Amino acid sequence: MNALWWIISGVVLLVLASSRRVRPDRERLPGDFNFDAYKTREIVQRGVFDKTKWR
């Protein structure tokens, strides 16, 4: 019975700890986010040819 009590207590603590987790704010980026600049920077960093640009 003593071991069962410790197991149940541990499960309860895990459930409480996971439910109290703080969720990050949805609005982290100040102002407008420039997706084109972000995409270009990521493509250049990876050394990938951008095939999505219209010519």
Side-chain angles (χ1 to χ4, degrees):
M1 184 69 176
N2 195 14
L4 182 62
W5 185 83
W6 281 106
I7 292 171
I8 292 173
S9 298
V11 170
V12 168
L13 287 174
L14 285 174
V15 169
L16 288 175
S18 66
S19 67
R20 303 186 100 215
R21 188 175 7 180
V22 177
R23 298 207 167 113
D25 294 331
R26 297 292 179 207
E27 300 176 25
R28 293 172 126 178
L29 300 174
D32 294 331
F33 181 70
N34 187 349
F35 180 75
D36 290 330
Y38 171 77
K39 185 179 98 171
T40 302
R41 186 174 64 242
E42 291 296 314
I43 288 173
V44 168
Q45 285 178 351
R46 289 175 173 80
V48 178
F49 179 71
D50 185 8
K51 298 177 182 176
T52 62
K53 288 188 177 183
W54 295 90
R55 294 185 186 232

